[in-house]
């Protein structure tokens, strides 16, 4: 592939197209700044199926962005192994939009003051092709209650590891809408704080199935009235085989650590959940969830440690707990059938 080196200046552009393999490298985040003069057009469009590497620069705008992406990956064939490294994205609408990409890597980047999505993950050609990574100390700070750090609608095998998330509406939103089933999300070693709606949320707009969501070894802080991990109930089954364990939660008033609204064949392993006694919920399981194994949680000052509905809920390692069981269940103390508060 070709090498394009942007020396340390301030470049202003409207639109660029990359149609062949290219390494586009700046002189560092503070050394090279590229800014669009358009409020609504895609700034750099990548159409080649060859590898493109973009790194060591700042990308921003001279005007308020109302639509479009700074980096837009599209084309008639899958773009192979694009890499985005050590780039500051400032004041974007969408920062990176992967419409057609597989095995991409975004590492060491900083996303600040985006209003729609920092990264959009999709593969319109092959919805189950992905195996991509967002890792190595990326920082996401929407700077307001708006914006989604990572929106995934298709493309499997996404690994989100060792990053920092602040503010915005969602830090990860899986809003699955593909024409084929897909699988595998690995969320590990991240710090996620102050999302207005939910730190991590799953939902769907079609009956497409998603499976194997692993959420482990991460730190979450919840805003008042928000949910750290939410599996929404869109009215149909769409996700199964989730595993949530070894996380630390700090809850605000009226917030929830884990809400399994609708999910099947999944496990809530041991987590540490801290509240301040202002109507928080530790683990909530909705009536549409099925075949869930719940381990004893380490909870402190959480008003409602458990609110359990659903069917085939299995409890492991429990002693005497506070909470509610909404429907008949079993497995806490052998056979347990209770609708009142467990005291």
């Amino acid at each position: 592939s070709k090498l394009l080196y942007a020396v340390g200046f301030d470049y202003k552009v409207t639109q660029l197209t990359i149609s062949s393999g290219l390494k586009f490298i700046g002189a560092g985040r503070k050394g090279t700044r590229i800014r669009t003069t358009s409020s609504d057009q895609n700034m750099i469009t990548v159409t080649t199926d060859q590898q493109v590497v973009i790194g060591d620069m700042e990308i921003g705008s001279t005007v308020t962005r109302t639509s479009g992406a700074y980096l837009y990956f599209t084309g008639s064939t899958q773009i192979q192994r694009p890499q985005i490294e050590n780039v500051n994205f400032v004041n974007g609408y969408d920062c990176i939009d992967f419409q057609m990409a597989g095995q991409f890597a975004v590492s060491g980047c900083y996303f600040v003051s985006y209003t729609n999505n920092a990264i959009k993950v999709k593969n319109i050609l092959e919805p189950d092709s992905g195996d991509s990574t967002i890792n190595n100390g990326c920082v996401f700070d929407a700077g307001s209650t708006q914006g989604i750090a990572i929106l995934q609608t298709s493309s499997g095998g996404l690994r989100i590891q060792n990053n920092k998330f602040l503010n915005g509406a969602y830090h990860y939103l899986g809003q699955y809408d593909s024409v084929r089933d897909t699988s595998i999300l690995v969320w590990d070693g991240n710090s996620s704080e102050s999302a207005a709606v939910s730190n991590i949320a799953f939902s769907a707009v079609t009956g497409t199935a998603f499976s194997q969501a692993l959420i482990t070894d991460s730190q979450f802080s919840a805003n008042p009235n928000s949910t750290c991990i939410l599996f929404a109930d869109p009215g149909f089954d769409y996700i199964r085989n989730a595993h949530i364990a070894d996380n630390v939660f700090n809850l605000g008033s009226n917030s929830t650590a884990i809400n399994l609204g609708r999910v099947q064949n999944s496990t809530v392993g041991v987590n540490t959940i801290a509240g301040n006694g202002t109507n928080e919920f530790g683990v909530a399981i909705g009536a549409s969830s099925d075949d869930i194994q719940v381990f004893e949680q380490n909870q402190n000052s959480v008003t409602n440690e458990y609110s359990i509905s659903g069917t085939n809920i299995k409890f492991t390692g429990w002693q005497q707990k506070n909470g509610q069981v909404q429907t008949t269940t079993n497995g806490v103390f052998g056979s347990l059938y209770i609708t009142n508060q467990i005291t």
Side-chain angles (χ1 to χ4, degrees):
S1 61
K2 300 176 182 177
L3 172 64
L4 175 60
Y5 180 67
V7 295
F9 293 102
D10 190 348
Y11 299 87
K12 295 180 181 179
V13 301
T14 300
Q15 288 181 297
L16 295 173
T17 299
I18 298 176
S19 57
S20 62
L22 179 68
K23 291 183 178 179
F24 184 22
I25 306 300
R29 300 187 198 192
K30 299 298 182 182
T32 299
R33 184 193 309 180
I34 300 176
R35 294 187 291 169
T36 179
T37 57
S38 170
S39 64
D40 57 3
Q41 297 183 24
N42 295 319
M43 178 181 173
I44 298 175
T45 300
V46 179
T47 60
T48 179
D49 60 356
Q50 301 171 17
Q51 186 182 40
V52 172
V53 178
I54 299 174
D56 296 317
M57 64 182 66
E58 178 178 292
I59 296 177
S61 179
T62 62
V63 296
T64 301
R65 296 282 288 173
T66 57
S67 64
Y70 286 147
L71 302 180
Y72 185 69
F73 292 81
T74 188
S76 58
T77 57
Q78 181 169 287
I79 301 166
Q80 296 297 322
R81 297 177 290 107
Q83 297 180 19
I84 315 298
E85 305 171 345
N86 195 36
V87 177
N88 283 1
F89 294 90
V90 182
N91 297 325
Y93 182 78
D94 290 334
C95 297
I96 305 175
D97 187 345
F98 290 110
Q99 289 287 310
M100 187 80 71
Q103 301 177 0
F104 69 76
V106 178
S107 64
C109 293
Y110 183 49
F111 301 84
V112 61
S113 299
Y114 47 89
T115 56
N116 196 43
N117 305 295
I119 301 176
K120 186 183 295 183
V121 180
K122 186 172 186 175
N123 193 321
I124 59 178
L125 180 66
E126 181 53 65
D128 191 39
S129 178
D131 297 321
S132 301
T133 60
I134 301 169
N135 65 2
N136 193 26
C138 289
V139 177
F140 299 80
D141 185 357
S144 71
T145 58
Q146 301 180 43
I148 301 168
I150 301 169
L151 172 66
Q152 182 181 16
T153 60
S154 63
S155 184
L158 179 61
R159 297 179 297 282
I160 304 170
Q161 299 169 303
N162 304 319
N163 305 297
K164 178 70 175 183
F165 297 83
L166 293 166
N167 301 311
Y170 299 90
H171 295 160
Y172 170 87
L173 176 60
Q175 186 78 37
Y176 307 116
D177 65 358
S178 67
V179 295
R180 282 188 54 191
D181 296 347
T182 187
S183 63
I184 307 175
L185 169 73
V186 176
W187 173 286
D188 181 74
N190 298 297
S191 175
S192 175
E193 301 181 351
S194 302
V197 180
S198 185
N199 302 57
I200 300 177
F202 300 86
S203 190
V205 295
T206 68
T208 302
F210 189 91
S211 65
Q212 302 178 57
L214 287 78
I215 304 171
T216 56
D217 293 307
S218 294
Q219 175 264 329
F220 297 91
S221 291
N223 273 6
N225 305 299
S226 69
T227 302
C228 290
I229 299 174
L230 171 64
F231 289 77
D233 184 355
F236 50 84
D237 293 343
Y238 69 100
I239 191 164
R240 61 189 298 110
N241 301 338
H243 180 77
I244 304 166
D246 299 317
N247 301 291
V248 176
F249 299 87
N250 186 37
L251 301 182
S253 60
N254 302 296
S255 63
T256 302
I258 301 168
N259 186 343
L260 305 184
R262 191 173 192 129
V263 63
Q264 286 74 45
N265 191 33
S266 297
T267 301
V268 179
V270 179
N271 300 277
T272 299
I273 307 172
N276 57 19
T278 53
N279 199 37
E280 313 92 342
F281 281 84
V283 177
I285 300 180
S288 297
S289 289
D290 178 58
D291 195 13
I292 309 297
Q293 185 172 24
V294 183
F295 283 74
E296 180 182 5
Q297 306 295 297
N298 179 16
Q299 303 202 50
N300 181 44
S301 299
V302 177
T303 306
N304 307 282
E305 293 185 352
Y306 303 93
S307 178
I308 308 295
S309 298
T311 56
N312 298 316
I313 310 300
K314 306 175 187 68
F315 302 92
T316 302
W318 279 43
Q319 299 180 16
Q320 189 170 340
K321 291 292 148 188
N322 294 325
Q324 294 180 343
V325 176
Q326 305 295 343
T327 58
T328 58
T329 184
N330 61 72
V332 183
F333 301 101
S335 295
L336 173 66
Y337 299 90
I338 190 168
T339 57
N340 298 320
Q341 185 179 29
I342 304 171
T343 59

